[in-house]
Amino acid sequence: MSGERHIIDLTRTIEHQQPGVKIHSAKSLKNDGWNASTLELYSHSGTHMDAPWHFEVNALTIDKIPLDRLMGRALVLDISHVGEHHLIRPDDFKNQLENVKKGDNILLKSGWSQWFGTSKYRDNLPRISKELALWFGEKQINILGVEPPSVADVNNLEEVKEIHQILMENNIIIIEGLVNLNKLKKTEIMLMAFPLKIKDGDGSPARVLAIEDR
């Protein structure tokens, strides 16, 4: 990539009382000499990354994911036309899949992040079909990033387990809860996604960035 570089933050800001988040004052400048906070974070809160150990597909934990897998070329595929509860299949992408190469990173731009804070965000999400999960596996996709809080229907445990396991068995890193995909101008970007280095972690909140050459 060459030319002017733009960095777009695809990470939701972590705030107190978001689902799975509690932030309390631990120290104050007035009383203790410095400001500090105690953070209580569910490992899959906000913008987060799943490790295969999340579903015990294998023993790879979040701290052991190779760093060279966490950055690289990514394609932004637009599925903003799909509706609530939609089961996303390969034919929903029309001709967009023609550009997908083995080993690519994929971000699905659905616009779903706008519903954060409503029951719709969690309960009505569009999700990955088994057919699409297998297709991504055949393409040896490296990272799959989505805006909803999950790649599957969180109210259907069987589906959640099946879709996560298919993706993870195919060595695909899953990132959920992305934001700001509507700010991307390009369909090809440089992606950087870094979780907290939690020993034996099943997942972690992650800082996810897109770099565009405009």
Side-chain angles (χ1 to χ4, degrees):
M1 294 184 181
S2 61
E4 187 179 1
R5 185 177 68 174
H6 291 256
I7 301 176
I8 299 93
D9 194 349
L10 306 183
T11 316
R12 183 173 299 283
T13 301
I14 294 173
E15 297 183 59
H16 179 57
Q17 293 188 333
Q18 280 180 356
V21 178
K22 293 182 180 179
I23 302 175
H24 302 287
S25 174
K27 303 286 184 180
S28 70
L29 181 64
K30 179 180 179 180
N31 296 326
D32 307 290
W34 63 86
N35 292 320
S37 302
T38 297
L39 310 179
E40 183 179 332
L41 300 175
Y42 176 57
S43 56
H44 300 267
S45 59
T47 304
H48 64 276
M49 184 180 293
D50 293 350
W53 182 243
H54 184 34
F55 284 88
E56 297 189 14
V57 169
N58 58 49
L60 185 64
T61 51
I62 202 72
D63 53 314
K64 296 193 171 95
I65 295 178
L67 292 178
D68 60 1
R69 294 196 60 196
L70 301 179
M71 61 184 82
R73 170 185 185 260
L75 294 180
V76 183
L77 304 183
D78 189 349
I79 56 165
S80 56
H81 57 283
V82 306
E84 298 179 31
H85 300 291
H86 187 79
L87 204 55
I88 308 165
R89 295 182 171 87
D91 57 10
D92 286 312
F93 296 93
K94 300 179 180 179
N95 61 353
Q96 295 182 81
L97 297 183
E98 295 175 359
N99 297 322
V100 177
K101 298 181 177 65
K102 286 190 175 181
D104 272 343
N105 303 302
I106 299 291
L107 303 182
L108 301 186
K109 181 166 69 172
S110 63
W112 201 253
S113 60
Q114 68 182 302
W115 303 113
F116 181 78
T118 71
S119 59
K120 178 176 178 177
Y121 177 73
R122 182 185 185 278
D123 296 331
N124 298 13
L125 54 79
R127 71 262 199 230
I128 305 298
S129 66
K130 181 178 179 180
E131 180 186 5
L132 183 58
L134 290 170
W135 191 91
F136 284 144
E138 290 173 3
K139 281 293 185 178
Q140 300 175 20
I141 295 307
N142 179 52
I143 289 175
L144 174 63
V146 300
E147 293 184 55
S150 176
V151 292
D153 181 356
V154 293
N155 297 311
N156 183 336
L157 184 56
E158 183 177 344
E159 179 181 307
V160 167
K161 184 176 180 181
E162 179 182 43
I163 299 304
H164 279 85
Q165 288 185 335
I166 289 173
L167 295 171
M168 290 173 174
E169 285 168 357
N170 282 283
N171 202 28
I172 296 173
I173 296 170
I174 301 169
I175 302 175
E176 298 162 324
L178 293 171
V179 301
N180 293 332
L181 293 187
N182 62 311
K183 295 182 179 180
L184 299 177
K185 306 298 184 184
K186 300 285 188 176
T187 57
E188 181 179 335
I189 61 162
M190 178 65 69
L191 178 68
M192 304 179 73
F194 298 107
L196 298 175
K197 192 175 181 180
I198 302 170
K199 182 175 174 56
D200 300 330
D202 54 85
S204 168
R207 191 66 181 266
V208 185
L209 305 175
I211 302 175
E212 286 187 330
D213 180 24
R214 297 183 183 173

